Amino acid sequence: MGDFERKVERFIEIFINQNGYVKVVEGLKNTLLIAILGLIIGILIGTIIATVRVIPKYKVLPRILNGICSFYVGLFRGTPMVVQLLVCYYVMLPLMGAHMTGVQVAILVFGLNSGAYISEIMRSGILSVDSGQMEAGRAVGLSFGTTMIKIVIPQAVKNILPTLGNEFITLIKETSVVSFVGAADLYVAFSYIGSNSYEFMVPYLVMAIIYIVLVMIISLGIKTMERSLRKSDRRH
Amino acid sequence: MIDVINLEKHFGENQVLNDISVTIDKGDIVVVVGPSGSGKSTFLRCLNCMEDPTGGQIIFNGVDIADVKVDINIHRRRMGMVFQHFNLFNNKTVIQNIMLAPVHVQCQDLRKAKQKNLLLRFTNLFRKEKKALEPITTTKVKIKEDARENALALLRRIGLEDKADVYPSTLSGGQKQRVAIVRSLAMNPDVILFDEPTSALDPEMVGEVLDLMKDLAREGMTMIIVTHEMGFAKEVANKVLFIDEGKILESAPPKEFFGNPKNPRLQDFLSKVLV
């Protein structure tokens, strides 16, 4: 195992003496930034789409909106995330003449992509809330939208929180593909250390550990949140 | 107060309500009875357009609310509704359940008045004759305080003041239904619709809910009640409707309705339920 110890020493040397940790901190920051902002955008888009999809479809406008949403969901679920990143960065941006950094593009694409998935999660959450809740809201004179925001969606979110947590964990892990558009995430940081030391074993091991710790912290946070949201179910 | 004219409702091919016409005056206690599947719940739900009528008119305070162009939300505020399964908002405490709609509606009106005033102030700059601003006498805080006080008074009335800050899941069925009734009272409605308010309750809890409804009746609240409680109908109603197969087959004061039913189907129905 002397070989392994040497590798660890080499890793520590680069990590500390050659500013490897700066890269790692930077990568961690980007990874979290992309995942968290992506999730927030995703929840916003997902909630809007889910709401549109549960509106009764007697009229023309809801039908058109519903069609657009179905198309959106189909588009983003039907292509891999990497392809979406590449298309956005190398096709859409030049066509529009806009300039965005890799991290910004990653946040945008992660948001749009997870929006498509979250919309389905949210829709199942909304459908899981008793229809009597919507009726009661409408019966006291609140509009569909108000009842949705104040009554139905909070209860839906409570029901889907574990699944939503899953989505967040997936996002964290999927950030490892953003180096395709030049965003420096954890993977980029550790492969930098690896290629500087000609030694990949320890850096990638540490990277895996960091991902696991991140996911464990998130799971814990979700559990705490779930418990506080379950307040209204408890009998005491 | 409510004029139902030739009301019709069908779900696809299935005709549920067929040419129903009835007038409900202020202070009326109308009880609707009928066999299950007769359309009595649908009739009630059509009255506040929970189910959109497919034909006919419902004139409420002079406006045809069956018309799709009418903003139904405004009229529903004047029409309370109590459900079989209570439908209290599970994510809100008892007092929030009662305060939610009054606070929301009044804050919305306040916001609209403020926006209008802003626009008026701007356009007044270019007017020779200044238009008067809408008077704003209240604030958000005051609306909330008033609603809270009102909600507490309502809870005191039903003896559940100490339950103000608990969630509905901790209440018994009877308590839930009484909270649901005062929730609709908080909007000061002109009429309250009851959709089988005691059908989902344990027998021992039926009494407390019926007592509250009797109280309301004594105070002159207009009520339309779908129920299987014939005793209640006899005691409180001033008009009983018998609906079967989507039609009103008999409409009479309770004495006549129960004492001297004319329609053979009603006679048959009563012989089954009054044993």
Side-chain angles (χ1 to χ4, degrees):
Chain A
M1 290 304 286
D3 194 33
F4 186 70
E5 273 161 25
R6 194 185 50 76
K7 286 176 178 175
V8 172
E9 268 166 31
R10 185 92 180 99
F11 170 73
I12 289 172
E13 193 203 318
I14 293 208
F15 188 75
I16 293 170
N17 298 343
Q18 296 187 26
N19 283 345
Y21 67 92
V22 178
K23 291 257 176 197
V24 171
V25 170
E26 174 80 13
L28 190 63
K29 194 193 83 187
N30 282 341
T31 290
L32 287 176
L33 201 68
I34 293 166
I36 291 173
L37 290 183
L39 185 76
I40 292 172
I41 297 173
I43 288 176
L44 286 178
I45 294 177
T47 309
I48 294 169
I49 293 179
T51 308
V52 167
R53 299 192 86 175
V54 296
I55 293 177
K57 293 165 198 65
Y58 310 125
K59 293 182 191 150
V60 181
L61 184 67
R63 270 197 212 153
I64 294 172
L65 288 174
N66 195 45
I68 294 172
C69 290
S70 302
F71 175 72
Y72 175 90
V73 172
L75 188 70
F76 277 90
R77 287 204 306 188
T79 48
M81 178 92 88
V82 182
V83 174
Q84 290 163 18
L85 276 171
L86 293 176
V87 167
C88 183
Y89 194 71
Y90 293 106
V91 180
M92 301 304 282
L93 284 185
L95 281 182
M96 294 190 301
H99 183 76
M100 280 168 96
T101 66
V103 174
Q104 286 166 343
V105 169
I107 290 172
L108 182 72
V109 170
F110 270 64
L112 292 173
N113 182 292
S114 69
Y117 285 94
I118 290 175
S119 78
E120 285 299 294
I121 299 173
M122 191 62 94
R123 194 165 70 97
S124 74
I126 289 172
L127 293 178
S128 76
V129 175
D130 178 27
S131 61
Q133 298 286 314
M134 174 55 85
E135 281 185 2
R138 298 308 306 273
V140 287
L142 304 179
S143 66
F144 178 88
T146 310
T147 316
M148 212 62 190
I149 291 166
K150 294 208 164 187
I151 308 297
V152 177
I153 289 177
Q155 294 182 50
V157 167
K158 191 175 69 182
N159 291 343
I160 60 168
L161 205 63
T163 328
L164 220 49
N166 237 346
E167 177 66 22
F168 186 38
I169 289 170
T170 310
L171 278 185
I172 289 258
K173 292 187 294 188
E174 279 202 15
T175 51
S176 54
V177 300
V178 298
S179 55
F180 276 80
V181 292
D185 71 326
L186 272 181
Y187 163 73
V188 172
F190 282 102
S191 56
Y192 163 84
I193 293 176
S195 41
N196 271 18
S197 61
Y198 309 107
E199 195 40 82
F200 288 94
M201 186 194 238
V202 182
Y204 284 167
L205 188 65
V206 174
M207 178 168 81
I209 293 171
I210 289 182
Y211 273 117
I212 290 177
V213 170
L214 271 183
V215 169
M216 269 158 54
I217 292 171
I218 293 163
S219 318
L220 206 70
I222 293 164
K223 258 189 202 141
T224 324
M225 238 164 100
E226 230 185 302
R227 215 172 298 139
S228 76
L229 278 174
R230 288 259 164 237
K231 221 170 34 198
S232 59
D233 292 350
R234 230 179 287 148
R235 294 158 180 276
H236 45 146
Chain B
M1 185 193 321
I2 304 180
D3 269 312
V4 181
I5 305 167
N6 303 337
L7 177 66
E8 276 182 28
K9 171 76 186 171
H10 45 83
F11 295 106
E13 292 289 292
N14 184 12
Q15 183 100 18
V16 186
L17 296 178
N18 195 351
D19 198 19
I20 287 194
S21 295
V22 62
T23 299
I24 292 143
D25 298 315
K26 194 166 167 46
D28 268 358
I29 316 286
V30 179
V31 170
V32 183
V33 299
S36 75
S38 59
K40 53 191 191 311
S41 271
T42 310
F43 164 66
L44 194 77
R45 290 163 59 80
C46 279
L47 289 181
N48 67 348
C49 297
M50 283 318 257
E51 304 285 355
D52 286 317
T54 38
Q57 290 174 303
I58 297 162
I59 313 289
F60 176 57
N61 287 342
V63 182
D64 178 15
I65 57 171
D67 187 348
V68 285
K69 286 184 212 101
V70 172
D71 183 0
I72 187 67
N73 294 329
I74 289 169
H75 299 285
R76 279 195 186 132
R77 288 169 197 169
R78 316 297 315 154
M79 248 182 186
M81 187 165 197
V82 175
F83 300 87
Q84 181 177 0
H85 296 287
F86 332 125
N87 295 352
L88 292 178
F89 304 134
N90 293 326
N91 58 331
K92 303 275 177 195
T93 62
V94 167
I95 194 154
Q96 284 170 343
N97 259 280
I98 301 172
M99 287 166 59
L100 178 73
V103 169
H104 179 80
V105 165
Q106 287 173 53
C107 282
Q108 203 177 27
D109 291 346
L110 180 70
R111 201 163 56 236
K112 270 186 198 150
K114 275 184 181 164
Q115 281 167 1
K116 200 173 165 196
N117 278 356
L118 201 69
L119 192 72
L120 271 178
R121 238 180 247 138
F122 180 71
T123 49
N124 272 350
L125 294 176
F126 310 100
R127 275 205 189 94
K128 281 202 179 116
E129 284 170 41
K130 306 290 182 205
K131 276 196 181 169
L133 297 182
E134 256 184 54
I136 292 179
T137 52
T138 181
T139 61
K140 250 185 185 173
V141 180
K142 194 162 174 296
I143 288 172
K144 270 187 195 152
E145 274 173 8
D146 288 352
R148 189 173 180 84
E149 229 162 80
N150 186 29
L152 279 173
L154 286 167
L155 281 175
R156 213 171 296 135
R157 169 182 182 161
I158 55 171
L160 290 179
E161 213 183 347
D162 54 325
K163 301 278 188 192
D165 294 315
V166 305
Y167 285 95
S169 58
T170 61
L171 301 180
S172 73
Q175 290 171 334
K176 278 184 197 168
Q177 194 60 297
R178 285 185 293 153
V179 170
I181 293 174
V182 297
R183 175 176 69 180
S184 63
L185 278 181
M187 296 293 284
N188 285 321
D190 297 328
V191 53
I192 303 185
L193 314 174
F194 292 84
D195 188 5
E196 305 199 21
T198 56
S199 298
L201 293 175
D202 289 343
E204 55 185 321
M205 290 165 182
V206 171
E208 58 189 76
V209 172
L210 290 184
D211 283 343
L212 177 59
M213 288 164 66
K214 282 177 200 164
D215 265 0
L216 293 180
R218 235 171 277 137
E219 286 164 21
M221 175 61 77
T222 314
M223 293 154 75
I224 305 170
I225 306 157
V226 171
T227 185
H228 296 292
E229 300 284 335
M230 296 300 157
F232 178 80
K234 264 185 206 169
E235 191 186 331
V236 183
N238 61 354
K239 193 192 232 175
V240 188
L241 303 181
F242 177 67
I243 293 188
D244 194 15
E245 291 179 357
K247 283 188 188 137
I248 297 184
L249 296 183
E250 186 134 350
S251 160
K255 233 181 212 165
E256 211 185 310
F257 187 91
F258 291 104
N260 185 20
K262 292 184 189 69
N263 188 292
R265 249 187 296 181
L266 173 60
Q267 288 165 359
D268 182 46
F269 177 73
L270 287 178
S271 72
K272 278 181 198 150
V273 292
L274 297 177
V275 268

